[in-house]
Amino acid sequence: MIALQLPHTLPLLATLLTAALAGLARGFSGFGSALIFIPLASAVLEPRLAAPLLVLVDNATAFPLVPAAWRTAARREVACLTAGALLGAPLGAWLLLRMDPVALRWGMCALAVAMLALLASGWRYHGRPALPLSLAVGAGSGLFSGLAQMGGPPVVAYWLGGAIPAARVRANIVLFFATSGVISMAVYLLAGLLTGEVLVLAALMAPGYALGLWCGSRMFGRASETLFRRICFGLIALAAAIGLPLWG
C-alpha cells in the first residue's frame, strides 16, 4: 500500500480555511473562488496541487446548478467557447507541469491581479457573440483554467455586456464553467495531476467549501451590490499579496 503524503497540520488547516473563504466569496458574489484560493493555497501547497484540488471541489459543489442552466442557456454559444477551451486547457496544464513552482506562484499571483483589474474596471464586450471571437475567448479561458483555474473573468466580461438577457447570461456562465471544469479534470487526469493526495484533500476540503458557498448565498441580498463587490475585490487583492513568494 502506498502511503499518501498529506500536508502537515498547519498547512492543511490553512488550506481548509482558504477553501471556506473561497466558497464564501463564490456564494456571495458568484465569482472569485479561484482568484482567492489559488494564490493562498499555492503558498502552503505545491501549485500543482492547488489547481486540480479546486476544480474537483468546485465542480462537485456547483453540479446542482447545471440542469437549470442547461434548460436556459444558449447551448450553441456555450459550445463555441467550450471548443476553444479544448484547445487552451492542455497548454495551460502543460505550463502547470513544466514551470518552476516559485515562478508558478509569481505567475498565479500576477494572473489573479490581472483578472481582478479586468473585473474591477467594469469593462465589458458590448457586441454580439461571433464564432471566431467566441473560440478565442474560450481558448484564453481554457489556458487560464488549465494553468490556474482562473478562466472565469474573460468569459464574464465577454457575455455580461452583450445584448443577452441576464438570466441567459448567468445560465451560459454556469454551463460553460461546468463543461470547462470537465475538460480541466480530463486534462489533469491525463497529465497525472489527479493523484491520491488530491482526492483525499478534495474530500477534506469539500465540506468547508460547500458551507462557505451556502453562507455566501445566504448573505447575498443583505448588502448592496457595490459593497459586496468591494469586499470580494478586497479579498482577491489580499489573497494575491499573501500568496507572493516574497513571504517564503
Side-chain angles (χ1 to χ4, degrees):
M1 182 179 293
I2 300 176
L4 297 178
Q5 297 180 350
L6 296 179
H8 295 298
T9 302
L10 286 179
L12 179 59
L13 290 176
T15 301
L16 299 181
L17 180 61
T18 299
L21 183 63
L24 185 69
R26 172 74 180 269
F28 189 49
S29 69
F31 65 88
S33 58
L35 301 181
I36 291 172
F37 181 80
I38 295 298
L40 289 175
S42 296
V44 294
L45 302 174
E46 278 285 323
R48 295 178 183 91
L49 281 176
L53 181 56
L54 179 62
V55 75
L56 281 177
V57 173
D58 190 62
N59 268 26
T61 54
F63 181 77
L65 301 175
V66 173
W70 175 265
R71 292 190 294 270
T72 307
R75 294 192 289 271
R76 184 174 180 177
E77 294 175 13
V78 174
C80 291
L81 265 75
T82 300
L86 280 169
L87 300 175
L91 177 57
W94 183 83
L95 291 171
L96 181 62
L97 280 170
R98 298 293 180 179
M99 289 181 66
D100 174 76
V102 175
L104 264 176
R105 285 179 60 193
W106 278 108
M108 287 174 172
C109 290
L111 184 56
V113 172
M115 295 296 100
L116 171 60
L118 175 60
L119 288 169
S121 70
W123 182 87
R124 301 291 185 265
Y125 171 72
H126 293 289
R128 297 193 64 84
L131 178 59
L133 188 56
S134 293
L135 290 172
V137 171
S141 176
L143 172 66
F144 295 146
S145 291
L147 176 63
Q149 289 306 302
M150 295 182 188
V155 175
V156 172
Y158 180 53
W159 269 328
L160 205 58
I164 306 173
R168 178 162 292 180
V169 170
R170 182 181 183 278
N172 285 358
I173 291 171
V174 169
L175 188 57
F176 174 74
F177 285 176
T179 57
S180 65
V182 171
I183 291 170
S184 290
M185 286 193 293
V187 170
Y188 289 162
L189 180 62
L190 291 173
L193 290 168
L194 293 183
T195 62
E197 287 84 355
V198 170
L199 296 177
V200 172
L201 283 171
L204 294 174
M205 174 178 144
Y209 187 87
L211 179 61
L213 197 67
W214 181 81
C215 291
S217 65
R218 297 279 292 181
M219 292 167 60
F220 179 75
R222 298 186 180 184
S224 68
E225 180 177 346
T226 300
L227 177 60
F228 81 66
R229 287 185 181 277
R230 285 178 179 173
I231 291 172
C232 290
F233 290 164
L235 288 173
I236 294 167
L238 182 62
I242 294 175
L244 288 170
L246 290 173
W247 318 122

